[in-house]
Amino acid sequence: MNWELYTAGFRLFDANAISFMVLGVVLGLVVGSLPGLTATMGVSILVPLTYGLSMTAAIMMLLGVYCSANYAGSISATLVNIPGTPSAVMTTLDAYPMAQKGEAGRAIGIATLSSSLGGLFSVVTLALFSPLIASIALKFNSFEMFLVAFWGISMMAYVSPGSTLKGLLAGFVGLIIATIGYDPVTAAPRFTFGESNLLSGVNFIAAMIGLFGVSEILLNIEKPGQNVRQEIFKIEGSLRSFREVIKLWAVVLRSSVAGVIVGAIPGAGGTIAAIVAYAQQKRFSKHPELMGKGAPEGITAAEAANNACTGGAMTTLLSLGIPGDAVTAILIGAFILHGIQPGPFLFQKNFDLVSAIFIGMVFINILFLVFGMFGARYLARLLFIPRSILNTVILALSVVGTYAVQASMFDVIVMLIFSGLGYLMTKQEIPRAPMVLALILGPLLEQNFRRWLSLADGQYGATLLDTYTHNPVSIVLSLLVVATIIFPLIRRSGKATLIKVNDQP
Amino acid sequence: MKKDFVNGIVAAGFALFVYAEAGRFAEGGASLSRNPALYPRILAAIVFAIGVILIVRGIIAFVKARGGERQKSTTDTNGMRYVALTVGLLVAYVGAIHLLGFVIPTLAFTLTTPMVLGTKFKTAVLVSIPVTAILYVVFFIFFKVPIPSGILFQ
């Protein structure tokens, strides 16, 4: 391990980057604590705000939101039995019963430290494995890169809620939308209908804000009981739970490993990680009968896993350019907005930024540990804000934020269209995450496909045969793609989703 | 399942539209790699195939369900009314900021929308002014990103 290379990122940290990292953590805690607001929504709405920031400050702020929102979902899960983010759904099973026994502080303390330890473990694996994966991916040819991008989209369709077929539909429609604008080879305008604003394609930030920001608010508005004021438990003695979590080190380790692995699977995300780790813990537990009744190991398993997921998702994002979940798909958009293309070349050209991300994520996981331990009681007060006001503020923020990206009202209209699309997709049980991923990966997919066609020079069959006979990587990747698409389709029910969950962390 | 059938019809229709529309920029004589319509047409063909599978799945589910109990509609009309009103206000807000710029429409939007969603007038007023001010300060002064200026108030 080249220690000097790993610490190169410290050079990018100035007062500005540190301040925005702290701000990101605070905003993430706010977003995560409020049921109905998700990390995906928070990051998508905040991307435009980073436009005027330095690259490091922007990435740190968004990573701060991502990691801390994933943790903060446990606060409302503990206090009012409603997960602040979908990934805290398993936390409610033990944290709320513990709070009902008058131990809300203990539950929050366990959740906070477990989340932080899970997140820190995932950063270590990210730092160890992402350069390794990137060095392998650097040797990929255009056909293999095409297969990697295609596998990413099909995998996201596979693990998204609802049927895989609908996930694939969302993905392929997203790929079609990504073709809008100039053709990458001939520069012929495609599907622009004479609108000059579409020549450079659909603004993906506007699309993301629409799909995950506004449409989510519209879905929130539809639910009854928006302004009901809830009674919440008092938070006392969070710090006392430290010793308890240290005793559960094996649970933390096991769940973190599960979280990292699930996080690295495109589309799986924190919710599935928490479910897998919780089920795993139930098998390993000496007292499985106590889980679901306020067992500390249940909280630890769920929280360590959903935060470990962040490092797993970032591993594929940084090394392959394939996001592990909806938030990292949006993060790719933020990277591109700041002129950075995640993927194997990032490790060659910009390792100091990669190193800054590793370092930043370590600090973020420590920061939310401190803020969570001492600030949870203040975050709990946010639960008193009427939903109608919160929803309105986010809608206004979405409109102004979308405009801010390119000072374009056309982008705002695009955002409104995607809001309607996202809302209707959810009503029709079609997952939105594969569409976002397809919008991001579409150009990469097409460029590599066209490059391969060009290199084949009319000899497509012979070139394909040559590719498969000389490179086992192509065979493995092709088998992965075929298995991901075919396996769920041949299953009897046609519903191949691993676990039905919300499609965003 | 009705949803599968509807999704299938929309997907197949969309795919046919994309396939036909790609004909406008197709270059027949060019090599495959230089034909801008090839890739979108492949995608359209896949979407069409998925659409057809969904239609068939929807029909099969419908036939199977005919003998059984009818599914109850779970649509919450009250919730839908709130969504429709909010969308209307949102579209009006976007139109208004295009004309009047950021401040006045944001004040109006942050006042009317909470009221439509059940907040009292007094609370809405108390929220509207600081929210507009905070958004202005955060976007324009703190993050230095552009905010809509409007046609009438440049």
Side-chain angles (χ1 to χ4, degrees):
Chain A
M1 185 188 280
N2 189 338
W3 190 249
E4 210 171 298
L5 209 58
Y6 273 98
T7 52
F10 275 115
R11 284 198 297 268
L12 298 182
F13 279 93
D14 52 14
N16 204 29
I18 295 167
S19 316
F20 281 101
M21 181 170 72
V22 175
L23 180 67
V25 171
V26 174
L27 289 173
L29 290 172
V30 171
V31 166
S33 315
L34 293 163
L37 307 192
T38 61
T40 318
M41 182 201 283
V43 173
S44 67
I45 291 170
L46 289 169
V47 167
L49 283 179
T50 67
Y51 190 66
L53 302 182
S54 73
M55 189 177 59
T56 317
I59 301 298
M60 287 309 130
M61 183 170 121
L62 296 174
L63 282 175
V65 176
Y66 175 35
C67 298
S68 59
N70 247 2
Y71 144 69
S74 65
I75 296 174
S76 63
T78 306
L79 300 177
V80 288
N81 202 23
I82 303 169
T85 54
S87 61
V89 66
M90 300 311 282
T91 313
T92 54
L93 298 184
D94 286 288
Y96 187 69
M98 195 180 272
Q100 279 180 314
K101 292 175 197 164
E103 296 176 314
R106 181 183 169 211
I108 284 181
I110 294 169
T112 309
L113 185 58
S114 305
S115 296
S116 180
L117 291 175
L120 288 168
F121 176 86
S122 79
V123 184
V124 174
T125 57
L126 169 70
L128 288 176
F129 291 105
S130 59
L132 196 71
I133 298 169
S135 66
I136 297 166
L138 273 172
K139 292 172 189 143
F140 285 179
N141 60 32
S142 54
F143 184 65
E144 285 153 1
M145 274 317 287
F146 166 79
L147 287 173
V148 168
F150 197 71
W151 177 69
I153 294 167
S154 49
M155 199 63 206
M156 196 168 253
Y158 176 52
V159 295
S160 290
S163 79
T164 302
L165 206 57
K166 288 179 187 172
L168 286 173
L169 177 64
F172 280 108
V173 170
L175 287 177
I176 291 175
I177 295 170
T179 65
I180 293 173
Y182 285 125
D183 174 59
V185 177
T186 64
R190 299 185 294 186
F191 308 115
T192 54
F193 309 103
E195 175 56 60
S196 61
N197 284 302
L198 284 175
L199 287 172
S200 52
V202 170
N203 182 331
F204 50 74
I205 308 261
M208 285 168 198
I209 294 175
L211 280 174
F212 283 110
V214 175
S215 72
E216 197 66 29
I217 293 298
L218 296 179
L219 291 162
N220 278 348
I221 286 169
E222 208 182 79
K223 292 172 198 157
Q226 292 293 311
N227 293 328
V228 178
R229 193 183 162 106
Q230 286 162 302
E231 286 303 317
I232 57 171
F233 298 105
K234 274 189 178 175
I235 305 166
E236 284 166 345
S238 306
L239 286 169
R240 285 200 289 272
S241 52
F242 261 70
R243 210 175 297 163
E244 207 168 355
V245 177
I246 301 302
K247 279 183 192 165
L248 293 170
W249 65 270
V251 182
V252 173
L253 192 65
R254 227 176 2 239
S255 308
S256 301
V257 171
V260 168
I261 294 169
V262 173
I265 298 170
T271 316
I272 293 178
I275 294 168
V276 168
Y278 193 88
Q280 173 185 263
Q281 186 51 36
K282 214 164 181 177
R283 277 198 303 274
F284 279 98
S285 176
K286 286 175 188 164
H287 301 285
E289 73 283 357
L290 296 178
M291 285 183 72
K293 294 171 186 165
E297 57 186 315
I299 304 172
T300 296
E303 281 303 308
N306 70 26
N307 268 77
C309 200
T310 55
M314 288 299 289
T315 305
T316 48
L317 170 85
L318 293 176
S319 58
L320 296 172
I322 310 284
D325 57 21
V327 187
T328 40
I330 294 165
L331 279 177
I332 285 200
F335 274 94
I336 295 169
L337 188 75
H338 289 274
I340 298 286
Q341 180 69 50
F345 290 105
L346 187 65
F347 287 75
Q348 265 191 342
K349 295 177 187 165
N350 232 327
F351 198 86
D352 51 349
L353 177 67
V354 176
S355 150
I357 290 170
F358 298 159
I359 297 164
M361 283 182 73
V362 169
F363 281 113
I364 287 164
N365 279 288
I366 295 169
L367 277 172
F368 79 64
L369 170 69
V370 177
F371 291 169
M373 280 293 178
F374 296 102
R377 70 187 63 191
Y378 305 105
L379 288 166
R381 290 184 190 167
L382 293 171
L383 293 167
F384 294 132
I385 299 175
R387 275 303 107 95
S388 57
I389 289 168
L390 210 58
N391 290 337
T392 306
V393 172
I394 292 165
L395 288 175
L397 200 63
S398 302
V399 171
V400 185
T402 307
Y403 176 86
V405 179
Q406 300 187 113
S408 161
M409 280 309 288
F410 185 81
D411 286 349
V412 180
I413 294 165
V414 168
M415 183 273 286
L416 287 180
I417 292 168
F418 275 89
S419 307
L421 186 64
Y423 177 77
L424 291 175
M425 282 171 77
T426 312
K427 298 298 277 182
Q428 290 297 107
E429 293 165 9
I430 299 172
R432 293 163 289 173
M435 181 174 275
V436 171
L437 187 60
L439 285 172
I440 296 281
L441 294 182
L444 177 80
L445 202 70
E446 182 173 12
Q447 276 162 22
N448 283 295
F449 175 65
R450 302 274 289 270
R451 193 175 299 145
W452 180 81
L453 283 179
S454 172
L455 290 170
D457 198 23
Q459 308 289 315
Y460 306 115
T463 312
L464 204 59
L465 193 68
D466 187 59
T467 307
Y468 280 125
T469 48
H470 286 91
N471 203 339
V473 177
S474 301
I475 301 172
V476 173
L477 288 170
S478 300
L479 286 174
L480 273 174
V481 171
V482 171
T484 310
I485 295 173
I486 300 296
F487 174 67
L489 295 181
I490 57 172
R491 275 170 58 157
R492 203 153 44 117
S493 66
K495 283 183 179 177
T497 312
L498 294 172
I499 301 151
K500 281 207 166 208
V501 287
N502 192 320
D503 65 342
Q504 49 175 315
Chain B
M1 220 160 98
K2 195 180 164 188
K3 279 178 182 169
D4 273 352
F5 186 76
V6 174
N7 290 337
I9 293 282
V10 174
F14 174 72
L16 289 175
F17 170 76
V18 169
Y19 197 91
E21 192 60 30
R24 286 174 186 257
F25 49 81
E27 289 177 20
S31 69
L32 283 182
S33 67
R34 291 192 60 79
N35 185 353
L38 174 74
Y39 177 71
R41 278 186 160 170
I42 292 173
L43 297 175
I46 298 169
V47 169
F48 185 78
I50 294 172
V52 170
I53 297 171
L54 284 171
I55 292 169
V56 172
R57 212 163 79 173
I59 292 170
I60 292 170
F62 177 74
V63 172
K64 276 185 183 172
R66 271 177 79 180
E69 267 184 53
R70 278 180 172 243
Q71 276 188 329
K72 279 183 185 173
S73 171
T74 52
T75 312
D76 174 12
T77 48
N78 207 30
M80 294 287 280
R81 193 170 63 91
Y82 283 130
V83 172
L85 281 168
T86 309
V87 170
L89 284 168
L90 192 61
V91 172
Y93 174 50
V94 171
I97 59 172
H98 186 49
L99 281 174
L100 306 170
F102 170 77
V103 179
I104 300 167
T106 306
L107 273 171
F109 181 73
T110 50
L111 178 74
T112 49
T113 310
M115 281 168 60
V116 165
L117 298 176
T119 304
K120 286 175 186 163
F121 176 73
K122 269 186 187 172
T123 318
V125 172
L126 285 173
V127 167
S128 172
I129 298 166
V131 163
T132 307
I134 291 168
L135 283 178
Y136 185 87
V137 170
V138 167
F139 275 84
F140 197 59
I141 297 169
F142 193 57
F143 283 97
K144 295 185 173 62
V145 290
I147 55 166
S149 56
I151 294 169
L152 299 179
F153 298 98
Q154 289 278 332

